[in-house]
Amino acid sequence: MKRFIYPSIAVLVIALDQFTKYLVRSNMQPGDRIPVIGNWMSIYYGQNTGTAFSMFRDNRFVTIFLTTALIIFCIIFIVKEAREGQRLIPVLFTFVAAGGISNMIDRLTLGFVTDMISCGSFAVFSVADIGVTCGCFLTMIALIIQFKDEGKEA
């Protein structure tokens, strides 16, 4: 049962991301905005041809290469850590890998990543981006706590 947790999380994140992107693409035109919380949060249909914060915009080779490298690294790390008995870190890295895979699906099928969540003047992002960001952020916190606890034991 334990070994199915990683693919289950990945499928859930990818399905939720692809479904929300499908809804946006089916019901909005690029640049359309639907206010959710005043001017602070809205659904905004954006097409991102770059990576995070639109870096490497319109450079398909770089974005596909970087995403592929991230996904491969995450999968290798998940397998290695899970085999060593780690639980939390592999789960968190699964969110990162799943977000990367879902954005890669967009890049390969559409030529861009569909973004739709806009908060103020901050970047526009998707469910996949939330998975990547939260997975990375929570991994950093978990590692800090882990290393801090290991230091107390020494």
Side-chain angles (χ1 to χ4, degrees):
M1 181 66 176
K2 289 179 189 177
R3 65 182 170 179
F4 295 112
I5 190 73
Y6 309 113
S8 298
I9 291 169
V11 166
L12 181 65
V13 170
I14 293 167
L16 182 60
D17 182 60
Q18 289 297 311
F19 179 67
T20 56
K21 289 174 175 179
Y22 168 79
L23 288 176
V24 168
R25 288 192 305 268
S26 298
N27 296 292
M28 298 175 73
Q29 295 297 316
D32 285 355
R33 181 180 304 274
I34 301 170
V36 176
I37 303 174
N39 290 331
W40 185 77
M41 183 178 179
S42 61
I43 304 300
Y44 174 83
Y45 180 9
Q47 296 178 341
N48 185 355
T49 58
T51 59
F53 305 105
S54 297
M55 292 186 297
F56 308 111
R57 178 177 287 277
D58 297 323
N59 193 333
R60 189 174 165 103
F61 173 78
V62 172
T63 57
I64 290 173
F65 176 78
L66 289 174
T67 304
T68 302
L70 169 77
I71 293 166
I72 291 169
F73 171 79
C74 285
I75 292 170
I76 291 169
F77 190 80
I78 291 163
V79 170
K80 177 187 170 296
E81 292 295 302
R83 284 186 179 157
E84 292 177 3
Q86 294 290 326
R87 291 190 185 117
L88 180 59
I89 302 298
V91 166
L92 296 174
F93 262 72
T94 300
F95 281 94
V96 177
I101 290 167
S102 194
N103 280 342
M104 179 67 87
I105 291 169
D106 277 18
R107 280 189 185 93
L108 294 175
T109 60
L110 303 170
F112 58 86
V113 172
T114 303
D115 287 328
M116 83 286 294
I117 303 167
S118 176
C119 295
S121 59
F122 189 67
V124 181
F125 52 95
S126 65
V127 172
D129 300 330
I130 294 169
V132 171
T133 302
C134 290
C136 289
F137 181 73
L138 293 173
T139 297
M140 288 188 294
I141 291 172
L143 290 173
I144 289 168
I145 292 169
Q146 181 179 342
F147 289 131
K148 185 178 176 184
D149 289 345
E150 287 175 4
K152 287 181 183 177
E153 293 174 10

